[in-house]
Amino acid sequence: DGDGEYDYVLDRQTSPQTVEAYRSNGQFLWSVNMGPNSTNQDNIEGGSATIDVGHNDGVTVYDLDSDGRAEVAIRIANGVVFGNGTTYNALSDNTRQAIAVLDGRTGAPRATAAVPTDYLSDGPMYARFAVGHLDGVSPSLVAYMKNRIGGGDFNLMFTAWRFSGSALSMQWKFLRGNQN
């Protein structure tokens, strides 16, 4: 909230999963219900909205628009209920995914953008997020995403996103393809 004190964002391994925010004094702020696409928590081929499964979380907190208050970036799918009570249902099917930037104080969506569909035929992609100042000045959300090819190797996609304060846009995308 910009007061200089750390606040907390955590996930609950329930079914469906939830993400919750608390002030540094323990005061509850908001909860996001990850919806029906978070109930399959298989650590290799889970649902399209699962978080914190295996090596992947799909959630990070950072001041992405440099306004002094943190946002929460999260990978979502249809059926996610945000902290303000609205439900996300903008994708064409339940294997499609999006990245949402939430207001850190309310859990309300400030912007969403669809995850590229290059590897959609192999199912939903798990994600790990990081933040980097790729241009040396402004923060970018960097996503490492993967899904399994049949019963073997993994598809890998790296993307970078810029949040303007009202819109989320992809800066670049790298697909591993058949490269190692």
Side-chain angles (χ1 to χ4, degrees):
D1 62 9
D3 67 1
E5 302 265 337
Y6 277 112
D7 298 312
Y8 302 95
V9 174
L10 57 95
D11 64 85
R12 301 267 184 207
Q13 291 300 309
T14 54
S15 186
Q17 294 175 314
T18 59
V19 176
E20 300 173 356
Y22 295 86
R23 288 191 181 269
S24 59
N25 65 5
Q27 175 191 354
F28 174 79
L29 292 173
W30 51 264
S31 178
V32 171
N33 179 321
M34 296 304 292
N37 293 306
S38 73
T39 59
N40 175 3
Q41 297 170 24
D42 184 302
N43 72 348
I44 303 258
E45 296 179 340
S48 54
T50 54
I51 53 169
D52 196 19
V53 177
H55 303 299
N56 305 290
D57 60 0
V59 179
T60 200
V61 179
Y62 196 82
D63 182 4
L64 294 169
D65 62 358
S66 302
D67 69 351
R69 292 185 306 270
E71 286 77 38
V72 178
I74 188 166
R75 183 186 48 86
I76 62 169
N78 284 342
V80 168
V81 180
F82 297 114
N84 65 350
T86 61
T87 302
Y88 185 79
N89 283 310
L91 301 169
S92 58
D93 64 59
N94 287 337
T95 55
R96 295 281 317 268
Q97 297 165 299
I99 294 174
V101 175
L102 309 181
D103 186 300
R105 295 169 294 170
T106 66
R110 294 187 58 197
T112 60
V115 169
T117 59
D118 299 84
Y119 298 130
L120 186 62
S121 63
D122 291 312
M125 301 197 80
Y126 276 132
R128 292 184 219 166
F129 289 153
V131 174
H133 292 76
L134 304 179
D135 64 0
V137 179
S138 301
S140 296
L141 176 68
V142 179
Y144 164 86
M145 295 178 274
K146 70 178 184 176
N147 64 4
R148 186 175 284 277
I149 303 168
D153 203 3
F154 291 93
N155 293 310
L156 297 177
M157 176 173 28
F158 294 85
T159 56
W161 304 81
R162 176 70 45 86
F163 177 59
S164 68
S166 61
L168 184 63
S169 57
M170 190 169 57
Q171 295 170 273
W172 52 259
K173 169 180 70 173
F174 171 79
L175 303 174
R176 178 175 80 168
N178 61 2
Q179 304 171 69
N180 273 328

